[in-house]
């Protein structure tokens, strides 16, 4: 007996969401609640998955189940698919288990053909409505099923409107639209090589197959990759009796949210179009009106909508994104799902839900996606600068962006991936633009509204969006945006303000965003629930202060080599490296000592009372010297004499220090064992900086970290060196200072022999950046610029291992290091200082592995705080 793949909405309330998909689950639940939902049935995601793995073939029994579902629907509706007097028309809509707005396909008005369109015109006494519905089916079916580009039909529609002097689609008459249908059928035949199928059952079969195939469309794949959604989930297909928002002035369609998805304000937010079908709103074909306008046009339906939206939010205990249609005064609910919202809105909403008693603080913490908090830190326009917009539209997604204007998604994707800041400018975005949207800093459209594709996707990604800039004329072929006499060409830098809905020429100054009271409230709940401490990787006093403002509980990694790179210090560093006599090297180190001391003193003061882990010098010495190739060119151009002699000596020293594989060469503790004076100078600077800060009442908890240890003997000798210098400095100062000494676990051998190494360490800090490189044999820079993108695209890897911890490989070494280090020295402090410390999925792993803290860049501290709380509450991220 074959599996069940088809469920009527009324019978699907108990079917798992992963089978029904989000749209199907919402329709089933609204039906169960007794809300006005058009009748229909759902074909489960399992059918799509089967088709996906069998070259498009449907599973056994699916065709028969669909026939039975259609027959039952016909009986309930009193209309038949293909009937020439009272035809049943249906929509076929995708619906993945995880919301993917605009990524897959929809076909409306299926079941219409030449005979049914004429019958519908006669039945309704409204030829305009009938042929408007037919031309929509021809265009959608042509695009989705037959692969005839939508713009082919759009261009024909535009020509017809121009010929008839019509501004809007609604200005065309029934005769105009009947003629347009004839033209659309011709375009369909020319574009596909086949006639449009007149048999409704054949239409249905082809449409369902197209919806299944849309799961594998490039744009859907790009979206899933960006949002870490599995390719194996598949999409459901929902077959729903048509209701018509294009049946005259008493009809319409709209999209609304139970709360404002940009700000979180508790108001009905959305848009409405009179005498239109749903695609008109989301595709930006006509500029919609604010939802409040519906109260004037269709007051009874509006009041019913208000009550229904309130009921759905209370039922789901979550903000709802709703699609609806009004057919001749009667309201129908077409979809409800959890609304995408900006990070700021998400924080406000959960905070208010807690205040309203709708959810608990635990639920509030679990409802905030930690990664989304990064959007809050996007910059905004500097309010002290006078702004002179060249155009205004709708502020569809907050934040500000500066970048070069680009007019197609491919260019945006290419330039953005190469590190250039771009703003995507489009007539209106389509789902096929997703790869460009991902790479762009922001987006501008001349059409569409607050619920258009561009607006919804931008909000979900935390990118600023200015939509509906109707004064702007966009010429995609010429790659220009024109407003009056002002012309913006591709490559011209523009600034957009997604809150105010403004577009400016040039690069305006931006300032850091404020997290605000809503974040503080949720962060307080998170801090009360997490076990992991959260530190920051910070190398300057400014970074340290910013990290503390964002809630860091210390510094987990202070990279001292960054302090040597300043312009005024580099000559002294080079003097130290180039010295061939101990005395000259000591003189250079003596010059560096007060510079390092002042750095540490300021950092300790910024972190007064909190731990600061200082990593002693790690990179190879040649990294502080000039590039060999550049030096050779300089020598070739130099005149003979003392200057050239100095350059040649410098080149000789650079050659002597250069290594075939410097990452695995003389660096870290190896360098210190060869040249102990460098580390001795750094330890003196740390102690003196610590004493100076403590004298002002700004003492930090100092932890000195030895890098690149592979053998216990290395750490034993380095600890002895550090302790000797510390004791000497404290004795000379006549002061006391608590200083811990530990190591970074960044080599596989160190993790495997953690028990031996722990005997000489007060703490371990897992350096997962280098541990990933040395475990996988991947050079990070080379991998990310060469083969890693291909690995991810081809599915060799599910995630970038430098962005999210490789749990089975690198993670296993972390677990071994924790277990063996903890067994040898119970209570040893265990942390991680690689950038994985700010990745939510990695933080969940580190929590489970038993670490004491994570450390990440300052701006990721809020993300780590929330991720650590979610891990403690049992969310596996």
């Amino acid at each position: 007996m074959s599996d069940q793949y088809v469920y009527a909405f009324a019978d699907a309330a108990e079917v798992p969401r992963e089978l029904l998909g989000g749209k199907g689950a919402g329709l089933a639940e609204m039906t169960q609640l007794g809300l006005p939902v058009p009748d229909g049935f759902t074909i489960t995601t399992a059918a799509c998955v089967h088709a996906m793995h069998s070259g498009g073939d449907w599973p056994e029994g699916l065709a028969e189940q669909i026939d039975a579902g259609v027959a039952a629907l016909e009986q309930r509706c009193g209309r038949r698919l293909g009937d020439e007097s009272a035809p049943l028309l249906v929509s076929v809509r995708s619906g993945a288990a995880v919301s993917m707005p605009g990524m897959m396909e929809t076909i409306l008005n299926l079941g219409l053909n030449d005979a049914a369109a004429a019958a519908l015109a006669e039945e309704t006494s409204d030829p305009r409505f009938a042929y408007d519905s037919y031309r929509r089916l021809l265009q959608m079916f042509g695009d989705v099923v037959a692969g005839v580009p939508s713009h082919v039909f759009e261009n024909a529609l535009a020509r017809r409107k121009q010929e008839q002097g019509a501004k809007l689609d609604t200005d065309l008459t029934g005769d105009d639209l009947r003629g347009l249908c004839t033209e659309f059928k011709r375009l369909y035949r020319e574009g596909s090589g086949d006639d449009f199928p007149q048999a409704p059952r054949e239409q249905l079969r082809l449409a369902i197959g197209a919806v299944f195939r849309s799961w594998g469309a490039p744009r859907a794949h790009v979206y899933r990759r960006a949002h870490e959604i599995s390719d194996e989930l598949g999409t459901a297909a929902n077959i729903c009796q048509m209701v018509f928002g294009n049946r005259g002035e008493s009809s319409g369609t709209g999209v609304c949210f139970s709360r404002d998805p940009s700000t979180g304000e508790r108001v009905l937010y959305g848009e409405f179009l009179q005498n239109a079908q749903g695609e008109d709103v989301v595709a930006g074909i006509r500029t919609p009106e604010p939802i409040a306008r519906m109260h004037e046009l269709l007051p009874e339906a509006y009041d019913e909508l208000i009550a229904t939206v309130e009921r759905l939010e209370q039922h789901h205990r979550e903000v709802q994104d709703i699609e609806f249609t009004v057919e001749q005064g009667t309201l129908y609910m077409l979809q409800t799902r959890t609304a995408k919202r900006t990070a700021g809105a998400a924080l406000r909403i959960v905070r208010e839900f807690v205040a309203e008693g709708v959810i608990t603080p635990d639920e509030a913490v679990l409802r905030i996606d930690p990664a989304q908090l990064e959007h809050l830190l996007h910059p905004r326009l500097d309010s002290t600068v006078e702004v002179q917009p060249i155009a205004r539209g709708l502020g569809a997604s907050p934040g500000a962006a500066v970048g070069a204007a680009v007019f197609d998604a491919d260019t945006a994707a290419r330039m953005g991936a190469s590190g250039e800041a771009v703003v995507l400018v489009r007539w209106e975005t389509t789902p096929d633009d997703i790869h460009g949207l991902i790479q762009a800093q922001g987006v501008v459209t001349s059409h569409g509204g607050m619920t258009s594709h561009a607006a919804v996707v931008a909000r979900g990604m935390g990118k600023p969006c200015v939509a509906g800039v109707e004064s702007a004329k966009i010429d995609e072929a010429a790659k220009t945006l024109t407003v009056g006499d002002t012309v913006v060409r591709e490559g011209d830098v523009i600034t957009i303000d997604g809150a105010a809905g403004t577009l400016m020429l040039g690069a305006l100054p931006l300032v850091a965003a404020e997290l605000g009271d809503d974040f503080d409230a949720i962060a307080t709940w998170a801090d009360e629930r997490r076990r992991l401490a959260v530190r920051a990787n910070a190398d300057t006093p400014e970074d340290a202060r910013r990290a503390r403002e964002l809630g860091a509980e210390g510094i987990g990694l202070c990279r001292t080599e960054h302090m040597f790179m300043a312009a005024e210090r580099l000559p002294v560093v080079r003097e130290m490296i180039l010295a061939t006599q101990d005395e000259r090297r000591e003189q250079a180190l003596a010059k560096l000592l007060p510079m390092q001391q002042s750095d540490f003193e300021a950092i300790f003061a910024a972190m007064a009372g909190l731990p600061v882990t200082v990593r002693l010098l790690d990179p190879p010495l040649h990294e502080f010297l000039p590039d060999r190739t550049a030096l050779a060119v300089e020598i070739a151009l130099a005149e003979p004499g003392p200057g050239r002699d100095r350059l040649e000596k410098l080149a000789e020293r650079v050659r002597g220090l250069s290594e075939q594989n410097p990452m695995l060469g003389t660096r870290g503790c190896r360098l210190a064992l060869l040249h102990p004076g460098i580390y001795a100078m750094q330890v003196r600077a740390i102690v003196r900086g610590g004493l100076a800060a403590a004298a002002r009442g700004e003492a930090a908890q100092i932890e000195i970290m030895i890098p690149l240890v592979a053998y216990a003997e290395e750490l034993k000798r380095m600890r002895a060196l550090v302790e000797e210098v510390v004791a000497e400095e404290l004795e000379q100062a006549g002061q006391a200072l608590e200083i811990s000494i530990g190591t970074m676990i960044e080599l596989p051998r160190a993790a495997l022999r953690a028990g031996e190494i722990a005997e000489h360490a007060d703490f371990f800090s897992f350096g997962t950046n280098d541990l990933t490189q040395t475990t996988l044999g991947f050079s990070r820079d080379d991998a990310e610029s060469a083969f890693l993108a291909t690995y991810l695209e081809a599915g060799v890897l599910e995630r970038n291992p430098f962005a999210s911890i490789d749990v089975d490989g690198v993670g296993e070494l972390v677990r071994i290091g924790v277990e063996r280090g903890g067994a040898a020295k119970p209570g040893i402090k265990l942390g991680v200082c690689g950038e994985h410390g700010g990745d939510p999925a990695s933080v969940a792993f580190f929590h489970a592995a038993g670490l004491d803290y994570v450390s990440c860049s300052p701006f990721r501290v809020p993300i780590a705080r929330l991720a650590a709380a979610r891990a403690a509450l049992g969310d596996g991220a």
Side-chain angles (χ1 to χ4, degrees):
M1 183 177 177
S2 61
D3 294 331
Q4 184 171 352
Y5 296 104
V6 173
Y7 293 89
F9 297 157
D11 302 329
E14 303 302 320
V15 180
R17 181 185 184 88
E18 58 266 26
L19 285 177
L20 293 178
K23 192 174 275 93
L27 289 165
E29 196 155 8
M30 287 193 293
T31 301
Q32 190 80 8
L33 290 171
L35 298 179
V37 177
D39 205 343
F41 59 86
T42 297
I43 305 168
T44 67
T45 58
C48 175
V49 171
H50 183 282
M52 183 169 54
H53 292 301
S54 60
D57 292 337
W58 288 4
E60 181 184 351
L62 176 59
E64 292 77 11
Q65 290 182 34
I66 291 172
D67 287 341
V70 170
L73 177 60
E74 289 174 333
Q75 185 174 14
R76 293 193 299 270
C77 296
R79 304 176 75 91
R80 292 181 60 249
L81 196 66
D83 190 283
E84 293 189 5
S85 58
L88 170 66
L89 304 182
V90 297
S91 63
V92 181
R93 307 174 80 193
S94 60
V98 180
S99 178
M100 296 171 55
M103 288 302 107
M104 292 174 295
E105 304 295 2
T106 293
I107 298 174
L108 303 180
N109 309 324
L110 189 139
L112 280 175
N113 53 26
D114 292 349
L120 188 63
E122 184 175 344
E123 179 190 0
T124 60
S125 300
D126 190 351
R128 195 212 164 277
F129 155 67
Y131 288 101
D132 180 53
S133 300
Y134 195 17
R135 65 96 180 170
R136 292 170 185 272
L137 170 63
L138 289 165
Q139 178 170 347
M140 290 184 186
F141 199 93
D143 179 25
V144 173
V145 177
V148 183
S150 187
H151 68 79
V152 170
F153 301 102
E154 284 293 337
N155 292 342
L157 175 60
R159 285 194 302 271
R160 184 63 57 119
K161 287 194 292 187
Q162 187 175 20
E163 290 167 3
Q164 301 303 318
K167 181 181 178 182
L168 301 174
D169 304 355
T170 49
D171 295 332
L172 294 174
T173 67
D175 287 340
D176 295 332
L177 290 164
R178 184 187 290 111
L180 192 63
C181 288
T182 300
E183 186 175 359
F184 274 19
K185 284 185 288 183
R186 176 181 61 79
L187 293 170
Y188 182 101
R189 183 171 56 254
E190 291 175 355
S192 68
D194 294 309
D195 287 327
F196 173 73
Q198 293 288 311
R201 298 276 176 165
E202 178 70 1
Q203 293 175 13
L204 183 60
R205 182 185 68 80
L206 292 170
I208 292 169
V211 165
F212 286 168
R213 287 195 304 275
S214 73
W215 177 258
R219 69 190 189 207
H221 182 72
V222 169
Y223 186 94
R224 289 195 296 274
R225 181 67 60 202
H227 293 82
E228 297 188 346
I229 300 170
S230 170
D231 287 335
E232 296 301 313
L233 296 179
T235 181
N238 299 285
I239 315 303
C240 190
Q241 181 186 9
M242 281 299 305
V243 289
F244 300 96
N246 58 333
R247 287 197 67 179
E249 299 303 302
S250 63
S251 303
T253 188
V255 175
C256 68
F257 298 79
S258 56
R259 304 190 187 210
D260 187 326
S262 289
T263 67
E265 183 182 0
R266 190 177 183 179
V267 294
L268 186 68
Y269 175 100
E271 294 174 320
F272 174 77
L273 264 177
Q274 198 171 20
N275 195 16
Q277 286 199 316
E279 290 301 297
D280 296 344
V281 177
V282 295
I285 295 168
R286 287 164 53 191
T287 301
E289 298 189 80
I291 193 72
R293 174 77 168 136
M294 184 181 165
H295 179 58
E296 302 171 26
L297 300 172
L298 301 170
E300 292 183 7
Y302 179 81
D303 290 343
E304 185 180 358
L305 175 67
I306 292 288
T308 302
V309 169
E310 180 70 21
R311 184 177 175 190
L312 283 170
E313 182 178 282
Q314 290 179 354
H315 175 77
H316 289 283
R317 300 189 309 131
E318 182 56 285
V319 178
Q320 296 300 290
D321 171 359
I322 291 162
E323 292 181 22
F324 65 92
T325 284
V326 179
E327 181 178 352
Q328 295 186 318
T330 301
L331 175 71
Y332 293 95
M333 307 302 291
L334 305 183
Q335 173 177 289
T336 190
R337 61 186 176 189
T338 299
K340 301 283 186 184
R341 75 295 297 268
T342 65
L347 292 171
R348 176 174 176 175
I349 287 163
V350 297
R351 185 185 183 189
E352 291 186 356
F353 271 167
V354 171
E356 294 163 17
V358 176
I359 61 174
T360 66
D362 282 5
E363 290 174 300
V365 170
L366 290 170
R367 284 197 181 183
I368 300 296
D369 177 2
Q372 197 181 18
L373 291 182
E374 198 164 345
H375 303 165
L376 281 179
L377 300 168
H378 284 188
R380 55 183 172 79
L381 286 181
D382 186 341
S383 59
T384 64
V385 175
E386 183 179 354
V387 174
Q388 296 180 325
I390 63 167
R392 294 181 182 274
L394 301 170
S397 184
V402 175
V406 296
F407 292 84
D408 68 274
D410 291 342
T411 302
R414 184 182 70 253
M415 292 176 64
S418 68
E420 296 182 66
V422 298
V423 175
L424 181 60
V425 180
R426 302 285 280 154
W427 187 86
E428 160 58 343
T429 62
T430 71
D432 288 327
D433 294 327
I434 184 66
H435 57 304
L437 280 163
I438 289 171
Q439 295 293 347
Q441 302 297 308
V443 60
V444 177
T445 67
S446 61
H447 286 70
M450 307 290 277
T451 57
S452 65
H453 174 265
V456 171
V457 174
R459 278 198 295 270
M461 292 183 177
K463 297 177 185 287
C465 173
V466 179
V469 186
E470 295 185 341
S471 63
K473 293 181 174 59
I474 294 175
D475 186 332
E476 294 184 9
K479 299 185 181 299
T480 60
L481 176 150
T482 304
V483 183
D485 297 331
T486 303
V487 179
V488 176
R489 294 179 171 81
E490 184 154 277
D492 290 349
V493 175
I494 59 174
T495 300
I496 65 170
D497 184 341
T502 51
L503 168 64
M504 286 70 65
L505 289 178
L508 297 185
L510 306 180
V511 296
E514 300 283 335
L515 286 171
D517 294 340
D518 293 321
F519 169 78
D520 291 342
I522 282 87
T524 298
W525 294 331
D527 292 343
E528 291 169 352
R529 287 155 177 79
R530 63 183 167 89
R531 179 187 62 76
L532 280 174
V534 176
R535 300 191 193 180
N537 300 341
D539 313 321
T540 67
E542 293 75 20
D543 281 350
R545 283 190 285 271
R546 181 59 174 153
R548 190 159 191 167
E549 289 170 4
L550 293 170
E553 297 164 298
I555 291 177
L557 177 62
C558 177
R559 292 158 287 209
T560 55
E561 59 271 12
H562 289 188
M563 301 172 181
F564 288 166
M565 294 297 188
E568 70 276 10
R569 300 183 185 188
L570 201 52
V572 184
V573 176
R574 289 177 177 173
E575 181 184 335
M576 180 266 293
I577 295 171
L578 296 172
T580 55
Q581 299 175 356
D582 290 343
E583 183 179 353
R584 295 289 297 274
R585 180 174 292 111
E586 289 299 326
Q587 290 173 353
L589 288 171
K591 293 178 186 177
L592 286 172
L593 176 58
M595 299 177 187
Q596 285 260 279
Q597 178 181 333
S598 66
D599 291 330
F600 294 131
E601 185 177 339
I603 289 173
F604 295 152
M607 283 288 166
L610 299 177
V612 176
T613 304
V614 180
R615 183 180 72 185
L616 300 182
L617 189 67
D618 185 39
L621 290 182
H622 85 272
E623 288 193 9
F624 298 100
L625 299 178
D627 177 75
R628 289 177 66 180
T629 302
L631 196 54
V633 171
E634 194 175 351
I635 291 171
L637 296 174
E639 296 290 336
R644 181 167 178 166
D645 293 343
R646 282 195 298 272
L647 287 173
E648 288 178 341
K649 288 182 180 179
L650 177 59
E652 183 179 352
R653 186 64 169 147
V654 170
R655 283 193 296 272
L657 288 171
S658 296
E659 298 175 306
Q660 292 296 320
N661 193 338
M663 179 194 158
L664 301 178
T666 310
R667 52 174 279 227
C669 66
R670 304 161 193 168
L671 177 65
L673 289 169
L674 291 177
H675 302 286
I678 299 174
Y679 270 27
M681 178 276 292
Q682 289 194 296
V683 174
R684 291 188 198 283
I686 291 169
V687 175
R688 293 178 185 182
L691 288 171
R696 298 196 306 270
E698 297 172 331
Q701 302 169 35
I702 300 174
E703 301 173 347
I704 295 177
M705 181 160 68
I706 311 300
L708 213 69
V709 164
Y711 295 89
E713 184 63 24
E714 290 174 316
L715 183 59
K716 178 182 177 182
R717 296 187 181 201
M718 289 309 307
R719 184 178 187 112
L721 169 68
V722 172
E723 288 180 332
E724 180 182 350
V725 175
V726 169
E728 181 182 318
E729 286 294 318
L730 293 179
E731 182 180 356
Q732 184 174 337
Q735 302 288 326
L737 201 63
E738 289 293 325
I739 296 179
S740 303
I741 302 170
T743 187
M744 182 182 284
I745 304 293
E746 53 191 316
L747 298 173
R749 190 183 195 280
L752 294 171
R753 308 307 296 172
E756 300 167 6
I757 293 173
E759 295 178 16
H760 309 288
D762 301 320
F763 65 88
F764 283 169
S765 180
F766 289 89
T768 53
N769 295 346
D770 271 3
L771 188 58
T772 297
Q773 294 192 97
T774 53
T775 301
L776 301 183
F778 287 3
S779 161
R780 177 174 184 163
D781 292 340
D782 293 331
E784 292 190 330
S785 66
F787 64 85
L788 195 53
T790 302
Y791 267 39
L792 293 169
E793 188 67 27
V796 177
L797 296 175
E798 288 187 5
R799 292 178 173 180
N800 179 343
F802 296 107
S804 193
I805 192 81
D806 165 38
V807 171
D808 296 331
V810 178
E812 183 66 15
L813 288 171
V814 171
R815 280 190 287 257
I816 290 171
V818 169
E819 178 184 340
R820 295 180 182 177
K825 180 170 284 187
I828 187 172
K829 187 182 292 184
L830 303 166
V832 62
C833 61
E835 269 306 299
H836 295 101
D839 169 60
S842 302
V843 170
F845 167 76
F846 296 137
H847 171 90
L851 297 186
D852 298 311
Y853 69 86
V854 295
S855 188
C856 56
S857 64
F859 284 99
R860 300 189 84 188
V861 165
I863 298 170
R865 291 167 67 190
L866 184 59
R870 287 165 59 99
L873 290 170
D875 175 71

